[in-house]
Amino acid sequence: MAAEEATHHPPTTHRPPAASRPDVSVVVPVYNTLRYLRSCLDSVLRQTIGPDRMEIVAVDDGSTDGSGRLLDRYAAKHPGTVRVVHQANSGGPAAPCNRGLDLATGRYVFFLGSDDRLGPEALERLVAAADRYGSDVVLGKVVGVNGRHVFSDVFAGGNAVDVSLFDSALPWSLANTKLFRRDLVDRLGLRFPEDMPVLSDQPFTLAACYHARRISVLADHDYYHAVRRLDARNITYHSRVEQRLVSVERLFAYVADLIPAGARRDAVLRRHVGLELANLVGDDFRHLDRAAQERVHATVARLVRRHVTDGLRDRLGVEARLRLGAVTAGGVDDLLAVIEQDSGRGVPATVFAGDRWHAGYPGAPARWTDVTDVRADWLARLDAVDVSWADGHTLTVTTRSPYPRFAAEAGPVRMLAGPVVGATRMDAGDPTGRTLRTDFALDRLLAVGSTSGQRHPVRAEVDGGHGRGGAAVRAPRLAAGRPRLLRHGARLYGVAATVDPRNGQLVLSVVPVTVGQLVGRLRRRGPGTAQTSGRGPAGARVSGRGAETLLGRHGHLEVRGAAQVQPGPLRSADQPHHHPGAGRAAPDQARGVRVDV
């Protein structure tokens, strides 16, 4: 169909006759995703359900990078299947989603991010399940690409015909990347709130799941590939603090209006408190100016007092509970003291009050620091103190607990980097038994990320006299180290240990690197900065002089400085740290690698 300009009108109320309606409408809101858009559209057009049973409604929300022109070419090439609408930029995904929903004619509707893509059988399987089970909402397994994190607990039990919103992991998977029955959407008058710059898919999905006759989960196929954009320029990643605050407040108000107070509301709010609200007081809170810190603090304190019951508080993760407790007990400086403990000094000592255990954080009240009922989770809190290459095939992570009886009370310890289990042992050099060394085999990390790359957050799990528990491994004083470029099969990968700037968690990153990316980044440094030669990845040979190749903090390649042939070990916190000056590397800073594979 020809592209058309958008003019707002009420939702469509007169649908085509059932016999002529497609089974599913795929709504694709588009804004400046040219690099990913072709793969996205091709993944839909190649669906096994076939073009006669689906339509694509793509809404260009004022793109300036050529995405709109590419959409028009697809519409001209696939008339009757691809419909394109252009509109002025709205500032968020809600308006283009609503516009696409107004125009969609299918029995079901599916929302697809324009930088994401579908598995080849996704739509056929989703529609078949919805028809077979009478489901109003069907969630297919979501997998991350380029190291994008997705909550996957809801898929752990395999396929499930009937899933409850209130006693499952579904609240942690409330993105709109699901199949929705159109009759349900129309009956409820569901639309995305356009006054929420971010998180606008949460109210839509939550209302659909709350009113659905049946919600089904399919875990037998990789249905949805959620792509982490290496440029990280979408609105969710870079939304301003004010936008986040407005959206979070409106989200909490929506939940309170939708679900009566009680255990069911708490089951949903546990996600929003533990994720959206706790993220507002994450490690990057330190980098806001004082006025912004005051605004965030006031908003979070108000929402905690209004919505967090004692029962909900006790079900929060330890870190979220401590941060939010500090907010309610004191001012900005009290919160900063807790964050500084986590990010600068590490896990604090345990404070004993009779038979009660408390986390020894400054500023947080006792009712929030009491970890007695989650002692296993508390014991699992370890600090990474060193990361090094044991050899060319093994990355060793050294962690330490401040708890003096750790060896006796924690029980067996498992260390995981994403799905990869490391080989963990007590460090023989520490007679107290509080230090662990874990070897992660690089071939296993590479195998897990062999097609798209992965970010593997490091986590500790204990199973001792206080039960089973787990916690993210933080790296409070671990300096950035040197990545390595390695080949796995026919492809090159950058492997690095990084620290997530939002939460301080140690992450082992495996990022695919093409010869073109490597050469392109070298060339962009300008004449004389690099000499490169390349062949295809199968027999790749890449060399560079006068240029260094580093994995940036978000896992993509950066080129700077002068190259050295051999990478050294990742530097631990105990080694001297020199801050780099502008435009040059510090004397002990990682200086990159030269690749000659």
Side-chain angles (χ1 to χ4, degrees), residues 228 455 498-501 509 551-556 558 560:
R228 183 174 186 272
R455 295 173 72 252
T498 62
V499 178
D500 190 317
S509 295
L551 285 175
R553 80 174 190 179
H554 294 297
H556 54 279
E558 296 178 351
R560 33 184 152 121

Side-chain angles (χ1 to χ4, degrees), residues 50-63:
D52 295 338
R53 297 178 58 194
M54 70 173 184
E55 66 175 357
I56 302 173
V57 182
V59 181
D60 172 26
D61 195 43
S63 295

Side-chain angles (χ1 to χ4, degrees), residues 477-483 497-499 551 569-572 577 588-590:
R477 299 182 301 278
L478 196 66
R482 306 177 187 182
T498 62
V499 178
L551 285 175
L570 296 170
R571 186 163 51 79
S572 76
H577 178 52
D588 64 339
Q589 187 182 8

Side-chain angles (χ1 to χ4, degrees), residues 31-33 36 115 227-234 237:
Y31 178 69
N32 285 356
T33 53
Y36 306 91
D115 42 9
V227 178
R228 183 174 186 272
R229 290 170 58 177
L230 297 182
D231 56 5
R233 289 175 184 165
N234 67 31
Y237 292 155

Side-chain angles (χ1 to χ4, degrees), residues 480-500:
R482 306 177 187 182
R484 282 192 176 182
L485 282 173
L486 302 173
R487 187 173 70 180
H488 181 73
R491 301 194 65 176
L492 289 173
Y493 291 86
V495 181
T498 62
V499 178
D500 190 317

Side-chain angles (χ1 to χ4, degrees), residues 16 31 34 39 142-143 171 228 250 277 351 393 470 503 514 537 547 589:
Y31 178 69
L34 183 61
S39 294
V142 183
V143 295
R228 183 174 186 272
R250 289 174 177 161
L277 199 60
V351 178
H393 306 285
N503 57 25
T514 67
Q589 187 182 8

